[in-house]
Amino acid sequence: MHSIHPRRVPERRFSQFFIASFRSADCPGVDSPRRFHRRFHMSTVGFIGLGIMGLPMAENLVKAGYDVVGYNRSARRVDALVAAGGRGASSIAEAVKGSDVVITMVPDSPDVVAVAMGEDGIFENSHSGQLVIDMSTIEPATARAVAEAGAKVEVRVLDAPVSGGEAGAVEGVLSIMVGGAAEDFAAAKPVLEAVGRTIVHVGPHGAGQTVKAANQLMVAGHLQLLAEALVLAEASDVDPVIAVEVLGGGLAGSTVLDRKSENMLKRDFTPGFRLSLHHKDMGIVTAAAREAGVAIPLGSAVAQLIASLVARGDGGLDHSGLFKLTEELAGRTQ
């Protein structure tokens, strides 16, 4: 099994007692033997795609002790990573060369193909045994194609899409569903632990994206039902804040309710995850369902509601913006 090749400082062997002695005000951030190990046995991570999700993920890798080299089409996002302690790259090639691990976090399947397989992309600048982790949300078939292309140049590829939104990315508590070889998952897990809390190997290449499609299907359904429940409460002269408190304590409680009800109640749809991206994801969901030969009647209905919001120009809103359309359909716009 290939291993991630750390960039080492001169070796020392520390007892657990000596490691514990560094957990003090004199050494802030060294709060566990694992983090201590990372700071003294540092791996370089090339991070491509510093958007709403990518930037805080890259920053958490820096906090965990990794040497992070970031690339993004917008230089402003690269500058933000540098300010957080990372390093900036002016091209994909610069981010890839010299990195032990390369992470991609870009919008869609064509973007992943271009970044990984395109001219002067990852595979043209990779080295044998390098580990590439695509954390974007893309079609399962594309994930499999990228993995096959990587194998031809002796690059290990995992599809590892995430769930948890911007808040989860900032807090480092993302749920990560990983597809690929078990030994590659084992090698990648320490890196993934810097950005996520629930990290599960779900199967072969493409399986991570299939589980992510199921996740996006459920999130869309929860958002729409939450919107309908709040509109119903308000139309019935029930305080929706009290309704949310009660709903959250029962079987209807969910992470969607906890994180998105306030957006709906305040009519604040500042994007954490844009409707345009969820629209893309629902396209992946419907395509996956068609390929598997299964019906998703409720999912199809929500997909159409999201599509209508995007078509009329609301794609830049947070996906909790489903509440906006639900209010309008009920004739209760403020």
Side-chain angles (χ1 to χ4, degrees), residues 238-270:
V238 172
D239 186 337
V241 175
I242 294 175
V244 165
E245 181 181 353
V246 176
L247 292 170
L251 191 58
S254 69
T255 302
V256 168
L257 186 148
D258 293 340
R259 292 190 178 240
K260 297 297 180 177
S261 58
E262 186 174 359
N263 297 64
M264 294 183 182
L265 293 175
K266 292 183 176 180
R267 278 75 174 174
D268 178 6
F269 306 120
T270 303

Side-chain angles (χ1 to χ4, degrees), residues 138-150 159 204-207 209-210 291:
I138 62 173
E139 297 172 358
T142 301
R144 291 190 289 269
V146 171
E148 290 172 5
D159 50 287
H205 296 116
Q209 296 297 347
T210 298
E291 183 179 351

